[in-house]
């Protein structure tokens, strides 16, 4: 997969060189490039923003500068991702969809956002545009949101995670439940013991115990996920909880 990120703060994207995403880029599984939006500005001050038509606080990013940048960076096969607090919610399902794409271009806005004609223009030209929010709070720009989305997508690419089994029983995975609590050595720490069943070697009992804890956790922390569960996903023992 190719990923391009366009930002006025390219240094903000430096963490992409680290950890799992950095390794994926180094190994060639991911072709990752960060661009400085200001290199497409044309005036002496390399201006990228201006005051909003209709009035109001803040500044809006100019469509001509973004248009020039995207004309150079966006290929016909690429999906344009615009991080914005007014976007659709970025979820694990969206990450799974984006992971199937050949190329993603992240357009990081700052200030009050990017002139709405930029997304409109690329849709009208037949391109795919996804305006996405990572949650119900406001960040100063799309850079951190892009980091979040790129990490969530990159770890789904074949070969990026060493053991693909670790993708199976995750929170927000297929089961529609949060993940069960996990434990490792030592078996006793600070007077707290690892649940006996996990040391028993009894695989069916362990699976039942984990599922019960996942359900209890989801009820306590994410009642909205319980409401959204397909009832056919629950067995009789689940319903007893
Ligand atoms: Cl994608 N951008 C900004 N600026 N704020 C956000 C966000 C995105 N998602 C949640 N808050």
């Amino acid at each position: 997969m190719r990923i391009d990120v366009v930002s006025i703060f390219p240094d903000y994207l430096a963490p992409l060189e680290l950890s799992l995403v950095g390794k994926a880029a180094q190994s060639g599984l991911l072709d990752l490039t960060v661009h400085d939006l200001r290199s497409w500005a044309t005036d002496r001050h390399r201006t990228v923003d201006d005051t909003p038509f209709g009035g109001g606080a803040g500044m809006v990013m100019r469509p001509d500068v973004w248009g020039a940048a995207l004309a150079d960076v966006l290929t016909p096969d690429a999906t344009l991702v615009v991080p914005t607090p007014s976007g659709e919610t970025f979820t694990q399902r969206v990450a799974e969809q984006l992971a199937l794409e050949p190329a993603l271009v992240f357009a990081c806005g700052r200030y009050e956002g990017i002139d709405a004609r930029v997304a409109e223009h690329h849709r009208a030209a037949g391109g795919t545009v996804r305006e996405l929010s990572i949650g119900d709070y406001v960040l100063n720009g799309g850079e951190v949101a892009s980091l979040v989305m790129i990490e969530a997508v990159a770890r789904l690419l074949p070969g990026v995670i060493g053991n693909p089994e670790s993708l199976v029983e995750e929170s927000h995975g297929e089961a529609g439940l949060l993940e069960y609590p996990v434990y490792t050595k030592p078996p006793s720490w600070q007077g707290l013991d690892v649940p006996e069943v996990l040391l028993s070697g009894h695989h069916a009992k362990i699976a039942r115990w984990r599922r019960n804890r996942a359900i209890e956790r989801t009820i306590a922390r994410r009642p909205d996920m319980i409401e959204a569960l397909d009832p056919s996903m629950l067995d009789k023992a689940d319903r007893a909880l």
Side-chain angles (χ1 to χ4, degrees):
M1 170 183 273
R2 281 182 293 119
I3 295 183
D4 290 272
V5 187
V6 184
S7 162
I8 57 166
F9 294 124
D11 292 347
Y12 228 116
L13 285 306
L16 293 175
E17 290 170 24
L18 305 175
S19 190
L20 173 150
V21 177
K23 282 195 194 105
Q26 286 215 319
S27 73
L29 288 169
L30 195 60
D31 175 1
L32 184 73
T33 311
V34 179
H35 309 265
D36 185 353
L37 178 70
R38 286 196 200 278
S39 55
W40 285 277
T42 52
D43 65 322
R44 206 161 53 87
H45 302 289
R46 304 215 292 164
T47 306
V48 295
D49 61 336
D50 213 321
T51 54
F53 281 125
M59 300 291 270
V60 176
M61 297 188 104
R62 292 178 58 105
D64 49 355
V65 179
W66 271 108
L70 295 177
D72 286 347
V73 174
L74 256 186
T75 50
D77 65 335
T79 292
L80 177 61
V81 179
V82 185
T84 167
S86 57
E88 288 175 56
T89 305
F90 177 77
T91 60
Q92 190 65 23
R93 300 293 88 73
V94 177
E96 288 162 3
Q97 292 163 10
L98 295 182
L100 298 174
E101 296 296 328
L104 304 174
V105 176
F106 287 80
C108 301
R110 282 262 148 183
Y111 318 112
E112 298 304 307
I114 302 172
D115 186 301
R117 291 170 292 182
V118 174
E120 190 186 332
H121 169 72
H122 288 286
R123 280 198 189 98
T128 305
V129 182
R130 307 240 8 209
E131 295 179 82
L132 298 171
S133 163
I134 62 163
D136 293 343
Y137 39 80
V138 178
L139 306 170
N140 285 333
E143 285 78 7
V144 171
S146 293
L147 290 175
V148 167
M149 292 190 263
I150 291 166
E151 180 158 316
V153 170
R155 61 192 293 287
L156 299 178
L157 300 177
V160 169
I161 292 220
N163 179 3
E165 295 246 357
S166 45
L167 297 172
V168 179
E169 287 190 357
E170 296 185 305
S171 295
H172 307 294
E174 293 195 0
L177 298 170
L178 299 179
E179 200 183 13
Y180 48 77
V182 295
Y183 302 86
T184 187
K185 290 176 271 299
S188 185
W189 176 76
Q190 299 276 322
L192 301 170
D193 294 341
V194 172
E196 190 95 29
V197 62
L198 299 180
L199 312 176
S200 71
H202 193 305
H203 297 298
K205 278 191 182 161
I206 291 170
R208 185 68 249 172
W209 182 90
R210 285 179 165 166
R211 185 157 173 90
N212 288 349
R213 299 295 83 72
I215 292 169
E216 283 178 358
R217 228 183 211 191
T218 312
I219 290 170
R221 301 178 181 180
R222 292 294 304 274
D224 59 306
M225 287 174 64
I226 297 291
E227 288 302 314
L229 272 182
D230 179 347
S232 73
M233 299 283 282
L234 297 175
D235 63 29
K236 215 167 137 212
D238 293 341
R239 276 188 282 270
L241 289 174

